[in-house]
Amino acid sequence: MTALAALAPSITAPLLPAAPAEAPAEAPASADIVRIRGRELPLNGLVKPELLDPAWQQAMHERLVQARPFPHLVFDDLFDARLLALVREEFDHPCVRWRHFKSGYETYHRSDTHSPLGPATQLYFSVVHSGWFIQALSRITGVDHLVLDPHQWGGGLHESGAGAHFSIHRDFSYHCDTGLRNRMVMITYLNPGWQDDWGGHLELWNDQQDRCEKKVAPEFGRTIVFLHGLHSFHGHPTPMTPPAGVKRRSVAAYYYTGEGPRPANAPEE
């Protein structure tokens, strides 16, 4: 049995009404599948197969270390689109508890730590928290012994609407509770039909914080991984202008290394 197939033989969770969707080809009768709200997903197809190819991992590593303004990678279609469509639906489920952030620095909603999540969202995080996925991520980034945070402090579900912004910043360097060192974040966007003129692109800025060097549109199925460091400045500082009711949605996971608690007098990186 493969790593993906070991996740679960099936899940039936009619928490939300099934939305119309394109009918993909039926999985072979012998395939291990997961069933969520009547839609079947082959467990061995939840991520693109190249992820487990050592040659592809090495090519991605070389691309990452050469990326500017700081090490990062952008993937399209890393995850099965049908899984991501189900995850997007679950932002609207009443089980999700939200925290609201509004200031001159940031405006967005984030799922609360320990919040219940829908079955597709749990499946997504089961994949990105699995040992084989983390091993692939380590080989791609060159960061060994990655540690995950199942409580999703700072990660989880992120949502924002018209007028929202996030000033240019660096992420936190240490987990507030465990003291683990933040090494990278992975963000997957869930926005079909997103228009460039709405804004909301993730901007990657230079180390002087005076120029945007790259913009990443938050399009459906697009994933960005970037390393946390002294110069990993990013954000979307201009207020967004999507139509009323249109939300910018994403899921985020942070990865750490276990270098022990941060000393009380340690300077910020």
Side-chain angles (χ1 to χ4, degrees):
M1 181 177 291
T2 67
L4 279 171
L7 285 172
S10 66
I11 297 174
T12 302
L15 293 178
L16 293 171
E22 294 182 5
E26 290 294 326
S30 60
D32 291 296
I33 62 170
V34 58
R35 182 179 295 108
I36 299 176
R37 297 190 292 282
R39 280 168 278 182
E40 294 184 350
L41 306 175
L43 283 172
N44 288 337
L46 296 180
V47 301
K48 66 190 309 177
E50 291 90 340
L51 182 67
L52 300 180
D53 178 1
W56 187 84
Q57 294 168 355
Q58 180 60 32
M60 293 301 101
H61 175 71
E62 293 171 3
R63 183 182 299 179
L64 177 136
V65 298
Q66 296 171 6
R68 298 293 179 268
F70 51 82
H72 72 277
L73 287 170
V74 177
F75 303 101
D76 286 321
D77 306 319
L78 183 62
F79 298 98
D80 188 308
R82 295 165 295 181
L83 171 63
L84 298 184
L86 289 163
V87 172
R88 178 176 173 80
E89 290 178 359
E90 292 173 356
F91 276 62
D92 296 319
H93 196 275
C95 74
V96 180
R97 298 193 302 267
W98 293 96
R99 295 188 65 191
H100 308 284
F101 299 85
K102 185 174 182 180
S103 69
Y105 176 74
E106 61 188 358
T107 310
Y108 77 111
H109 297 169
R110 186 177 77 214
S111 57
D112 196 9
T113 305
H114 311 303
S115 172
L117 301 172
T121 309
Q122 292 181 51
L123 180 57
Y124 171 88
F125 283 113
S126 293
V127 170
V128 304
H129 285 169
S130 63
W132 60 266
F133 190 96
I134 293 173
Q135 182 184 49
L137 203 57
S138 287
R139 290 173 175 171
I140 290 170
T141 61
V143 181
D144 294 327
H145 309 300
L146 290 173
V147 178
L148 59 89
D149 172 22
H151 305 297
Q152 294 298 340
W153 185 79
L157 282 59
H158 291 196
E159 179 181 274
S160 52
H165 73 289
F166 212 135
S167 298
I168 300 304
H169 66 287
R170 289 189 312 123
D171 287 339
F172 55 92
S173 292
Y174 296 89
H175 192 289
C176 69
D177 295 323
T178 65
L180 295 173
R181 183 181 178 187
N182 176 19
R183 299 307 301 269
M184 70 189 72
V185 64
M186 182 175 70
I187 305 169
T188 299
Y189 294 106
L190 306 171
N191 306 297
W194 191 264
Q195 303 297 309
D196 280 345
D197 58 3
W198 296 347
H201 296 57
L202 182 66
E203 300 183 8
L204 310 184
W205 283 51
N206 66 357
D207 56 3
Q208 301 301 313
Q209 301 183 67
D210 60 9
R211 185 176 69 256
C212 173
E213 295 197 3
K214 184 170 184 176
K215 291 185 178 183
V216 180
E219 296 179 2
F220 182 88
R222 178 163 292 165
T223 296
I224 182 169
V225 176
F226 63 85
L227 302 188
H228 174 71
L230 289 173
H231 307 300
S232 53
F233 295 106
H234 63 282
H236 59 97
T238 303
M240 302 189 310
T241 59
V246 174
K247 304 295 184 182
R248 179 186 186 272
R249 290 174 169 176
S250 62
V251 282
Y254 285 91
Y255 297 87
Y256 303 83
T257 49
E259 300 178 4
R262 178 188 180 189
N265 60 348
E268 185 69 13
E269 293 184 350

